[in-house]
Amino acid sequence: MDAPTTTSSDDGTSGGGGGWFTPRRPPKRPEDGHPQQPGADAHQAPEGRRPASIRPLGRPEGPVPAAEPVAEPGERPSDEAVNQAVNEAAADSADGSADGSAGSSAEERILAAASVGPSPAVQPQPTPPPATQSAPPPVLKDSVAQASVAKDSVAKPSRPASPDAALVQRTMAEIGPVADQVTSYFYALLFTRHPDLRPMFPAAMDTQRDRLLKALLTAAEHIDHTDVLVSYLKNLGRGHRKYGTRPEHYPAVGECLIGSLSRYASAIWDEETGAAWVRTYTTISQVMIDAAAEDELRAPAWWFAEVVSHDLRTPDIAVVTVRPDQPYPFLAGQYTSLETPWWPRIWRHYSFASAPRSDGLLSFHVKAVPAGWVSNALVHHARPGDVLRLGPPGGSMTVDHTTDSGLLCLGGGTGIAPIKALVEDVAEHGRRRPMEVFYGARTDHDLYDIDTMLRLQQSHPWLSVRPVVDQRAHLPDAVREYGPWNEYDAYLSGPPGMIRSGVDALRDVGIPEARIRHDSVEELVVAGD
């Protein structure tokens, strides 16, 4: 893909972005007179504004339920201090003089609060780690991510890296030791140079601060993985519509990305590296822009959904059923992103707990985890009548109904939810395909949905359900005792550790990697926040 290059890669202060990362063509827009979809009002609002936060239907507006912030590593700068400085900086930038002096001082305040210190250009540079350990952990946003580049099962390209990919990977190795400082500086630039973008992010950046930057860096690092990267980026672009992201926002993000990288990789940064990053980011952003424009012609940016049932199965697990305000198309095994009225602009992913229903209702299994804002709100505060917001469906853990292969399913904890949906999907298609389900939990108490699964087993002779209770949660080890599985398609859903070990175990017992399906272990959260 043709992409513009740049002759300067400074700290992101070189003007308003003209010529940087410009989409090669305007995205197609609905024709005049096309019925406005719910969520389209966000596009009609002034730049940087978002719709008012939703509140529960039929219930008075009350205080936000108490929840502890998600814990961050001890060496991180104070998120409270950064949040305060960012908010003050955004206000100063909005009111600043034309010469940008207010923005400059605001940026200095954020950097001081974030304790990022002076430019690394005047500091000794640490020795870069090996390339295989260079990138920050890939925490992908919305991924939503049916072909996630974060999967452990994605193999590296056998051919040598392209010149741009080699320069990108070199940069990633350089910034690895100071990744947290890169993140702080990135948001300092973004919110001081473009304060109109601040309302698109949560008021508290504690849980959000890494996600956008790491999603971009992960995609850039895998720029040669075109087969999986394009699918991932299209899903990412569609998912970003719910935040109010527009094509004109991408240049701002790109400039701040380049500014942050050039500052903290100054020891290796040159014109060639800057040009490689511009081309890489332009490719990434164009795929996302095109996918969002295409999706806008056929689907809303989000759906409103009213809670119609709240079934507390255990003290910390609830089955939440909602009714969307309009038809919501999805496939069994997929997931969605969900926002509660108590924590605006904070989204979490949950799998659908059933195949599509004739009444249009959607169910989710939610476990309240320590310091989980969204999960605790859904388990302990949501009630019938409350209104949530849903993003678009995503995920590739779906059944191929063109084959008669058996299905081997591993579900750990609330990861049993999408497995149950797959069972219902196979049953509805009426084909007697052998289906083996291993339902794992640490204790009998955690097998909260075992009665439902056993009833399904009684109704369908082709289905076998095996509960596995193990304090060490070694569900994949139990699979080795049965089989053979070489003629089965495998599906995994549960905690990240279970998925990682499960993929290894399934490969060991002879299931080809191409027949092992799961979604991003970092992004798809079926066991809580």
Side-chain angles (χ1 to χ4, degrees), residues 107-146:
E107 179 180 314
E108 293 171 359
R109 276 208 309 279
I110 294 180
L111 296 181
S115 301
V116 296
S119 170
V122 296
Q123 295 180 353
Q125 294 294 324
T127 302
T132 57
Q133 302 176 1
S134 60
V139 181
L140 304 183
K141 186 182 181 71
D142 290 343
S143 233
V144 26
Q146 61 253 41

mmCIF file of all heavy atoms in Angstrom, residues 107-146:
data_model
loop_
_atom_site.group_PDB
_atom_site.id
_atom_site.type_symbol
_atom_site.label_atom_id
_atom_site.label_comp_id
_atom_site.label_asym_id
_atom_site.label_seq_id
_atom_site.Cartn_x
_atom_site.Cartn_y
_atom_site.Cartn_z
ATOM 1 N N GLU A 107 1.913 20.170 29.007
ATOM 2 C CA GLU A 107 2.644 18.941 28.724
ATOM 3 C C GLU A 107 3.724 18.705 29.769
ATOM 4 O O GLU A 107 3.930 17.581 30.241
ATOM 5 C CB GLU A 107 3.263 19.030 27.331
ATOM 6 C CG GLU A 107 4.070 17.809 26.929
ATOM 7 C CD GLU A 107 4.650 17.979 25.541
ATOM 8 O OE1 GLU A 107 3.912 18.407 24.648
ATOM 9 O OE2 GLU A 107 5.841 17.694 25.383
ATOM 10 N N GLU A 108 4.415 19.778 30.172
ATOM 11 C CA GLU A 108 5.450 19.631 31.183
ATOM 12 C C GLU A 108 4.855 19.139 32.500
ATOM 13 O O GLU A 108 5.463 18.332 33.213
ATOM 14 C CB GLU A 108 6.159 20.978 31.387
ATOM 15 C CG GLU A 108 6.977 21.409 30.158
ATOM 16 C CD GLU A 108 7.491 22.833 30.297
ATOM 17 O OE1 GLU A 108 7.182 23.462 31.334
ATOM 18 O OE2 GLU A 108 8.193 23.288 29.397
ATOM 19 N N ARG A 109 3.630 19.616 32.845
ATOM 20 C CA ARG A 109 2.991 19.176 34.078
ATOM 21 C C ARG A 109 2.685 17.684 34.029
ATOM 22 O O ARG A 109 2.868 16.965 35.011
ATOM 23 C CB ARG A 109 1.696 19.950 34.322
ATOM 24 C CG ARG A 109 1.916 21.282 35.014
ATOM 25 C CD ARG A 109 0.687 21.658 35.821
ATOM 26 N NE ARG A 109 -0.558 21.592 35.069
ATOM 27 C CZ ARG A 109 -0.986 22.550 34.257
ATOM 28 N NH1 ARG A 109 -0.247 23.627 34.063
ATOM 29 N NH2 ARG A 109 -2.128 22.426 33.629
ATOM 30 N N ILE A 110 2.186 17.221 32.888
ATOM 31 C CA ILE A 110 1.873 15.796 32.772
ATOM 32 C C ILE A 110 3.133 14.956 32.886
ATOM 33 O O ILE A 110 3.171 13.937 33.576
ATOM 34 C CB ILE A 110 1.161 15.502 31.433
ATOM 35 C CG1 ILE A 110 -0.205 16.167 31.411
ATOM 36 C CG2 ILE A 110 1.021 14.002 31.220
ATOM 37 C CD1 ILE A 110 -0.970 15.934 30.150
ATOM 38 N N LEU A 111 4.183 15.395 32.198
ATOM 39 C CA LEU A 111 5.421 14.628 32.255
ATOM 40 C C LEU A 111 5.981 14.602 33.668
ATOM 41 O O LEU A 111 6.528 13.599 34.124
ATOM 42 C CB LEU A 111 6.446 15.231 31.289
ATOM 43 C CG LEU A 111 6.051 15.176 29.810
ATOM 44 C CD1 LEU A 111 7.141 15.780 28.956
ATOM 45 C CD2 LEU A 111 5.764 13.762 29.384
ATOM 46 N N ALA A 112 5.849 15.705 34.396
ATOM 47 C CA ALA A 112 6.319 15.726 35.777
ATOM 48 C C ALA A 112 5.492 14.777 36.634
ATOM 49 O O ALA A 112 6.017 14.037 37.467
ATOM 50 C CB ALA A 112 6.241 17.141 36.326
ATOM 51 N N ALA A 113 4.169 14.795 36.425
ATOM 52 C CA ALA A 113 3.307 13.907 37.213
ATOM 53 C C ALA A 113 3.591 12.453 36.903
ATOM 54 O O ALA A 113 3.499 11.583 37.761
ATOM 55 C CB ALA A 113 1.838 14.227 36.935
ATOM 56 N N ALA A 114 3.910 12.188 35.634
ATOM 57 C CA ALA A 114 4.177 10.810 35.230
ATOM 58 C C ALA A 114 5.576 10.365 35.588
ATOM 59 O O ALA A 114 5.927 9.196 35.432
ATOM 60 C CB ALA A 114 3.969 10.662 33.722
ATOM 61 N N SER A 115 6.420 11.308 36.053
ATOM 62 C CA SER A 115 7.790 11.002 36.463
ATOM 63 C C SER A 115 8.580 10.373 35.333
ATOM 64 O O SER A 115 9.310 9.405 35.527
ATOM 65 C CB SER A 115 7.787 10.053 37.682
ATOM 66 O OG SER A 115 7.106 10.628 38.764
ATOM 67 N N VAL A 116 8.402 10.942 34.140
ATOM 68 C CA VAL A 116 9.134 10.370 33.011
ATOM 69 C C VAL A 116 10.498 10.988 32.853
ATOM 70 O O VAL A 116 11.311 10.498 32.097
ATOM 71 C CB VAL A 116 8.324 10.565 31.706
ATOM 72 C CG1 VAL A 116 7.030 9.811 31.786
ATOM 73 C CG2 VAL A 116 8.089 12.027 31.405
ATOM 74 N N GLY A 117 10.773 12.080 33.564
ATOM 75 C CA GLY A 117 12.103 12.656 33.547
ATOM 76 C C GLY A 117 12.425 13.349 32.250
ATOM 77 O O GLY A 117 11.589 13.516 31.369
ATOM 78 N N PRO A 118 13.656 13.775 32.086
ATOM 79 C CA PRO A 118 14.070 14.468 30.874
ATOM 80 C C PRO A 118 14.149 13.521 29.704
ATOM 81 O O PRO A 118 14.040 12.312 29.849
ATOM 82 C CB PRO A 118 15.461 15.014 31.250
ATOM 83 C CG PRO A 118 15.952 14.072 32.304
ATOM 84 C CD PRO A 118 14.744 13.657 33.079
ATOM 85 N N SER A 119 14.341 14.080 28.559
ATOM 86 C CA SER A 119 14.400 13.276 27.344
ATOM 87 C C SER A 119 15.502 12.252 27.429
ATOM 88 O O SER A 119 16.608 12.537 27.876
ATOM 89 C CB SER A 119 14.636 14.189 26.127
ATOM 90 O OG SER A 119 14.925 13.413 25.004
ATOM 91 N N PRO A 120 15.231 11.026 26.997
ATOM 92 C CA PRO A 120 16.260 9.995 27.026
ATOM 93 C C PRO A 120 17.455 10.342 26.164
ATOM 94 O O PRO A 120 18.474 9.684 26.251
ATOM 95 C CB PRO A 120 15.539 8.750 26.494
ATOM 96 C CG PRO A 120 14.098 9.024 26.708
ATOM 97 C CD PRO A 120 13.949 10.505 26.565
ATOM 98 N N ALA A 121 17.321 11.374 25.328
ATOM 99 C CA ALA A 121 18.440 11.741 24.469
ATOM 100 C C ALA A 121 19.660 12.142 25.271
ATOM 101 O O ALA A 121 20.788 12.051 24.798
ATOM 102 C CB ALA A 121 18.034 12.890 23.549
ATOM 103 N N VAL A 122 19.474 12.588 26.509
ATOM 104 C CA VAL A 122 20.599 13.021 27.327
ATOM 105 C C VAL A 122 20.870 12.026 28.451
ATOM 106 O O VAL A 122 21.594 12.313 29.385
ATOM 107 C CB VAL A 122 20.323 14.415 27.932
ATOM 108 C CG1 VAL A 122 20.212 15.436 26.843
ATOM 109 C CG2 VAL A 122 19.072 14.403 28.805
ATOM 110 N N GLN A 123 20.266 10.858 28.382
ATOM 111 C CA GLN A 123 20.467 9.832 29.387
ATOM 112 C C GLN A 123 21.146 8.634 28.757
ATOM 113 O O GLN A 123 20.988 8.363 27.572
ATOM 114 C CB GLN A 123 19.122 9.383 29.977
ATOM 115 C CG GLN A 123 18.410 10.470 30.741
ATOM 116 C CD GLN A 123 17.086 9.963 31.287
ATOM 117 O OE1 GLN A 123 16.672 8.864 30.972
ATOM 118 N NE2 GLN A 123 16.440 10.775 32.110
ATOM 119 N N PRO A 124 21.905 7.871 29.550
ATOM 120 C CA PRO A 124 22.502 6.647 29.014
ATOM 121 C C PRO A 124 21.405 5.705 28.555
ATOM 122 O O PRO A 124 20.387 5.546 29.217
ATOM 123 C CB PRO A 124 23.272 6.074 30.228
ATOM 124 C CG PRO A 124 23.465 7.220 31.161
ATOM 125 C CD PRO A 124 22.281 8.125 30.948
ATOM 126 N N GLN A 125 21.642 5.070 27.442
ATOM 127 C CA GLN A 125 20.656 4.158 26.885
ATOM 128 C C GLN A 125 20.899 2.748 27.394
ATOM 129 O O GLN A 125 22.021 2.245 27.324
ATOM 130 C CB GLN A 125 20.708 4.154 25.349
ATOM 131 C CG GLN A 125 20.295 5.462 24.733
ATOM 132 C CD GLN A 125 18.839 5.748 24.989
ATOM 133 O OE1 GLN A 125 18.021 4.852 24.997
ATOM 134 N NE2 GLN A 125 18.520 7.012 25.193
ATOM 135 N N PRO A 126 19.872 2.077 27.927
ATOM 136 C CA PRO A 126 20.055 0.685 28.354
ATOM 137 C C PRO A 126 20.281 -0.218 27.160
ATOM 138 O O PRO A 126 19.852 0.084 26.050
ATOM 139 C CB PRO A 126 18.725 0.349 29.045
ATOM 140 C CG PRO A 126 17.740 1.290 28.428
ATOM 141 C CD PRO A 126 18.504 2.551 28.118
ATOM 142 N N THR A 127 20.944 -1.313 27.421
ATOM 143 C CA THR A 127 21.169 -2.274 26.353
ATOM 144 C C THR A 127 19.852 -2.925 25.978
ATOM 145 O O THR A 127 19.146 -3.451 26.835
ATOM 146 C CB THR A 127 22.141 -3.368 26.821
ATOM 147 O OG1 THR A 127 23.364 -2.758 27.230
ATOM 148 C CG2 THR A 127 22.403 -4.372 25.696
ATOM 149 N N PRO A 128 19.501 -2.885 24.685
ATOM 150 C CA PRO A 128 18.211 -3.462 24.285
ATOM 151 C C PRO A 128 18.181 -4.953 24.565
ATOM 152 O O PRO A 128 19.192 -5.647 24.400
ATOM 153 C CB PRO A 128 18.142 -3.176 22.776
ATOM 154 C CG PRO A 128 19.143 -2.084 22.538
ATOM 155 C CD PRO A 128 20.206 -2.288 23.557
ATOM 156 N N PRO A 129 17.021 -5.470 24.992
ATOM 157 C CA PRO A 129 16.885 -6.925 25.182
ATOM 158 C C PRO A 129 16.819 -7.614 23.838
ATOM 159 O O PRO A 129 16.675 -6.965 22.798
ATOM 160 C CB PRO A 129 15.552 -7.050 25.934
ATOM 161 C CG PRO A 129 14.776 -5.853 25.492
ATOM 162 C CD PRO A 129 15.791 -4.759 25.288
ATOM 163 N N PRO A 130 16.897 -8.934 23.819
ATOM 164 C CA PRO A 130 16.747 -9.655 22.547
ATOM 165 C C PRO A 130 15.417 -9.321 21.896
ATOM 166 O O PRO A 130 14.437 -9.022 22.558
ATOM 167 C CB PRO A 130 16.809 -11.139 22.979
ATOM 168 C CG PRO A 130 17.537 -11.123 24.287
ATOM 169 C CD PRO A 130 17.176 -9.823 24.943
ATOM 170 N N ALA A 131 15.383 -9.441 20.571
ATOM 171 C CA ALA A 131 14.186 -9.053 19.821
ATOM 172 C C ALA A 131 12.963 -9.845 20.257
ATOM 173 O O ALA A 131 11.856 -9.340 20.237
ATOM 174 C CB ALA A 131 14.421 -9.239 18.319
ATOM 175 N N THR A 132 13.165 -11.082 20.681
ATOM 176 C CA THR A 132 12.019 -11.902 21.058
ATOM 177 C C THR A 132 11.372 -11.442 22.345
ATOM 178 O O THR A 132 10.276 -11.856 22.666
ATOM 179 C CB THR A 132 12.451 -13.367 21.212
ATOM 180 O OG1 THR A 132 13.505 -13.440 22.180
ATOM 181 C CG2 THR A 132 12.912 -13.930 19.884
ATOM 182 N N GLN A 133 12.072 -10.564 23.109
ATOM 183 C CA GLN A 133 11.526 -10.088 24.359
ATOM 184 C C GLN A 133 11.284 -8.587 24.332
ATOM 185 O O GLN A 133 11.113 -7.953 25.355
ATOM 186 C CB GLN A 133 12.482 -10.410 25.510
ATOM 187 C CG GLN A 133 12.779 -11.886 25.647
ATOM 188 C CD GLN A 133 13.803 -12.150 26.733
ATOM 189 O OE1 GLN A 133 14.275 -11.238 27.385
ATOM 190 N NE2 GLN A 133 14.156 -13.404 26.913
ATOM 191 N N SER A 134 11.267 -8.013 23.149
ATOM 192 C CA SER A 134 11.299 -6.567 23.037
ATOM 193 C C SER A 134 9.971 -5.900 23.304
ATOM 194 O O SER A 134 9.918 -4.862 23.941
ATOM 195 C CB SER A 134 11.788 -6.175 21.644
ATOM 196 O OG SER A 134 10.908 -6.692 20.666
ATOM 197 N N ALA A 135 8.907 -6.437 22.782
ATOM 198 C CA ALA A 135 7.641 -5.716 22.809
ATOM 199 C C ALA A 135 6.984 -5.801 24.171
ATOM 200 O O ALA A 135 7.122 -6.786 24.872
ATOM 201 C CB ALA A 135 6.693 -6.276 21.752
ATOM 202 N N PRO A 136 6.240 -4.746 24.542
ATOM 203 C CA PRO A 136 5.422 -4.847 25.749
ATOM 204 C C PRO A 136 4.379 -5.946 25.568
ATOM 205 O O PRO A 136 4.039 -6.298 24.441
ATOM 206 C CB PRO A 136 4.747 -3.460 25.836
ATOM 207 C CG PRO A 136 5.549 -2.574 24.942
ATOM 208 C CD PRO A 136 6.121 -3.464 23.888
ATOM 209 N N PRO A 137 3.882 -6.498 26.652
ATOM 210 C CA PRO A 137 2.854 -7.546 26.506
ATOM 211 C C PRO A 137 1.697 -7.054 25.668
ATOM 212 O O PRO A 137 1.170 -5.973 25.905
ATOM 213 C CB PRO A 137 2.416 -7.805 27.965
ATOM 214 C CG PRO A 137 3.564 -7.329 28.795
ATOM 215 C CD PRO A 137 4.173 -6.192 28.038
ATOM 216 N N PRO A 138 1.304 -7.801 24.626
ATOM 217 C CA PRO A 138 0.265 -7.314 23.718
ATOM 218 C C PRO A 138 -1.114 -7.351 24.348
ATOM 219 O O PRO A 138 -1.755 -8.385 24.396
ATOM 220 C CB PRO A 138 0.355 -8.277 22.521
ATOM 221 C CG PRO A 138 0.910 -9.527 23.107
ATOM 222 C CD PRO A 138 1.807 -9.112 24.239
ATOM 223 N N VAL A 139 -1.572 -6.219 24.863
ATOM 224 C CA VAL A 139 -2.928 -6.122 25.392
ATOM 225 C C VAL A 139 -3.763 -5.441 24.326
ATOM 226 O O VAL A 139 -3.678 -4.234 24.140
ATOM 227 C CB VAL A 139 -2.955 -5.319 26.699
ATOM 228 C CG1 VAL A 139 -4.356 -5.247 27.252
ATOM 229 C CG2 VAL A 139 -2.016 -5.970 27.716
ATOM 230 N N LEU A 140 -4.524 -6.206 23.578
ATOM 231 C CA LEU A 140 -5.195 -5.700 22.401
ATOM 232 C C LEU A 140 -6.557 -5.153 22.746
ATOM 233 O O LEU A 140 -7.281 -5.703 23.556
ATOM 234 C CB LEU A 140 -5.335 -6.818 21.352
ATOM 235 C CG LEU A 140 -4.019 -7.467 20.963
ATOM 236 C CD1 LEU A 140 -4.268 -8.493 19.885
ATOM 237 C CD2 LEU A 140 -3.008 -6.447 20.504
ATOM 238 N N LYS A 141 -6.921 -4.046 22.115
ATOM 239 C CA LYS A 141 -8.189 -3.384 22.385
ATOM 240 C C LYS A 141 -9.236 -3.901 21.416
ATOM 241 O O LYS A 141 -9.089 -3.854 20.220
ATOM 242 C CB LYS A 141 -7.985 -1.870 22.231
ATOM 243 C CG LYS A 141 -9.184 -1.039 22.633
ATOM 244 C CD LYS A 141 -8.839 0.411 22.375
ATOM 245 C CE LYS A 141 -9.946 1.316 22.749
ATOM 246 N NZ LYS A 141 -10.158 1.439 24.164
ATOM 247 N N ASP A 142 -10.376 -4.376 21.984
ATOM 248 C CA ASP A 142 -11.533 -4.801 21.190
ATOM 249 C C ASP A 142 -11.192 -5.815 20.171
ATOM 250 O O ASP A 142 -11.590 -5.736 19.025
ATOM 251 C CB ASP A 142 -12.171 -3.621 20.480
ATOM 252 C CG ASP A 142 -12.834 -2.764 21.487
ATOM 253 O OD1 ASP A 142 -13.056 -3.248 22.586
ATOM 254 O OD2 ASP A 142 -13.124 -1.635 21.181
ATOM 255 N N SER A 143 -10.526 -6.129 20.701
ATOM 256 C CA SER A 143 -10.274 -7.068 19.837
ATOM 257 C C SER A 143 -11.135 -8.078 19.642
ATOM 258 O O SER A 143 -10.934 -8.902 19.313
ATOM 259 C CB SER A 143 -9.134 -7.417 20.126
ATOM 260 O OG SER A 143 -8.631 -7.466 19.760
ATOM 261 N N VAL A 144 -11.052 -7.232 20.341
ATOM 262 C CA VAL A 144 -11.682 -7.738 19.908
ATOM 263 C C VAL A 144 -10.805 -8.367 18.883
ATOM 264 O O VAL A 144 -10.399 -7.914 18.036
ATOM 265 C CB VAL A 144 -11.788 -6.661 19.859
ATOM 266 C CG1 VAL A 144 -10.704 -5.894 19.979
ATOM 267 C CG2 VAL A 144 -10.637 -5.746 20.032
ATOM 268 N N ALA A 145 -11.036 -9.700 18.625
ATOM 269 C CA ALA A 145 -9.847 -10.078 17.897
ATOM 270 C C ALA A 145 -9.967 -11.490 17.385
ATOM 271 O O ALA A 145 -9.372 -12.394 17.901
ATOM 272 C CB ALA A 145 -8.621 -9.926 18.770
ATOM 273 N N GLN A 146 -10.749 -11.677 16.337
ATOM 274 C CA GLN A 146 -10.998 -13.051 15.919
ATOM 275 C C GLN A 146 -9.789 -13.710 15.306
ATOM 276 O O GLN A 146 -9.725 -14.917 15.230
ATOM 277 C CB GLN A 146 -12.162 -13.118 14.933
ATOM 278 C CG GLN A 146 -11.970 -12.356 13.654
ATOM 279 C CD GLN A 146 -12.809 -11.127 13.630
ATOM 280 O OE1 GLN A 146 -12.924 -10.437 14.629
ATOM 281 N NE2 GLN A 146 -13.402 -10.820 12.520
#
